[in-house]
């Protein structure tokens, strides 16, 4: 089963799709999320967010901070500023 991921900046949706793994840096340290992860709400630290999509899709972005939410295989990442540094499907 895949994760449904939404990466959102303050002014736009940056990336949305299915992923097998999401990695990010939180205020508590590095975190990796896979399908079946328990619910989580965390503060994002500035740095990279890597979304490994299904097949070749996916994206790596640098975020300014924000928050990271996981609930029932849905991951929402919200940051004030998001700059896509690699990958496809960015808007």
């Amino acid at each position: 089963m895949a994760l449904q991921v939404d990466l959102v900046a303050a002014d736009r949706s940056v990336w949305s799709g299915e992923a097998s793994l999401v990695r990010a840096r939180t205020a508590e340290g590095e975190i990796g999320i896979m399908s079946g992860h328990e619910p989580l709400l965390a503060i994002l630290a500035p740095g990279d967010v890597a979304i490994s999509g299904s097949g070749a899709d996916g994206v790596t972005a640098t975020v300014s901070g924000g928050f990271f939410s996981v609930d029932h295989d849905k991951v929402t990442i919200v940051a004030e500023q998001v700059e896509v540094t690699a990958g496809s499907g960015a808007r």
Side-chain angles (χ1 to χ4, degrees):
M1 181 171 221
L3 297 166
Q4 177 60 41
V5 181
D6 292 310
L7 175 59
V8 180
D11 60 347
R12 70 192 191 287
S13 175
V14 177
W15 190 89
S16 182
E18 290 188 348
S20 56
L21 174 67
V22 178
R23 290 182 297 123
R25 184 177 305 140
T26 71
E28 301 294 319
E30 191 87 16
I31 190 165
I33 304 295
M34 296 177 76
S35 181
H37 197 283
E38 65 184 50
L40 170 77
L41 180 61
I43 297 171
L44 276 177
D48 289 342
V49 172
I51 302 168
S52 300
S54 301
D57 288 339
V59 68
T60 300
T62 301
V63 299
S64 60
F67 75 89
F68 186 97
S69 170
V70 180
D71 190 29
H72 293 91
D73 288 335
K74 179 162 177 59
V75 178
T76 304
I77 304 160
V78 179
E80 182 69 28
Q81 296 177 341
V82 179
E83 179 182 333
V84 174
T85 55
S88 64
R91 296 183 188 148

